[in-house]
Each structure stands twice: as C-alpha cells, then as structure tokens.
C-alpha cells in the first residue's frame, strides 16, 4: 500500500484563542486536533510533583494553505 507523502510533510498551523493564542507551530501532516500543555508546579516546598494543564485546539474548516486551529474550551 503506497504511503501518503503529505502525512510526513511539515506545515505551519496557527493556534487561535486560549492560552496559545497567536502561536504558530510546525505540525506533521494535517492533524484535526492539537494538544497544548502548560507546565505547572506543586505548591508544597521540596515536592518533585508537577502537573500540566491540557488545552485542545481543533482544526477550523476552510481551504487555507496555513491551517488554523481554534481553542476548544470544552475539551481537556
């Protein structure tokens, strides 16, 4: 079965809204969803525990050469 070369090509995507508003990233292929994490720290002194806030961006419809992904506040 021949592979789709576009799946391995990198392209630019613009994130719109949410904590990564205006960030342009390189993505491989053409993903429908991009997950962004923001690191956090434990408030307890001396703790090595950390956490990450998860934010989801979904590809917006349209035929743009540079896809846009809008923030989805309902999804973790």
């Amino acid at each position: 079965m021949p592979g789709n070369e576009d799946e391995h090509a990198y392209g630019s995507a613009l994130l719109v809204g949410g904590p990564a508003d205006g960030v342009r990233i390189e993505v491989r292929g053409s993903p429908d969803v991009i997950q962004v994490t923001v690191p956090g720290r434990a408030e307890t002194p001396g703790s090595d525990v950390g956490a990450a806030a998860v934010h989801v961006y979904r590809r917006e419809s349209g035929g743009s050469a540079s896809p846009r992904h809008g923030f989805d506040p309902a999804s973790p």
Side-chain angles (χ1 to χ4, degrees):
M1 181 164 111
N4 183 350
E5 290 181 19
D6 290 342
E7 291 178 9
H8 301 291
Y10 279 86
S12 180
L14 175 64
L15 303 181
V16 180
D21 185 41
V23 173
R24 187 171 296 279
I25 62 169
E26 286 190 5
V27 292
R28 191 153 132 188
S30 194
D32 291 330
V33 176
I34 295 175
Q35 176 178 304
V36 172
T37 59
V38 178
R41 295 187 305 222
E43 293 181 0
T44 305
S47 175
D48 290 334
V49 175
V54 177
H55 306 279
V56 173
Y57 288 78
R58 296 187 186 280
R59 185 171 42 184
E60 296 176 348
S61 61
S64 173
S66 180
R68 291 170 44 114
H69 287 72
F71 177 63
D72 182 350
S75 293

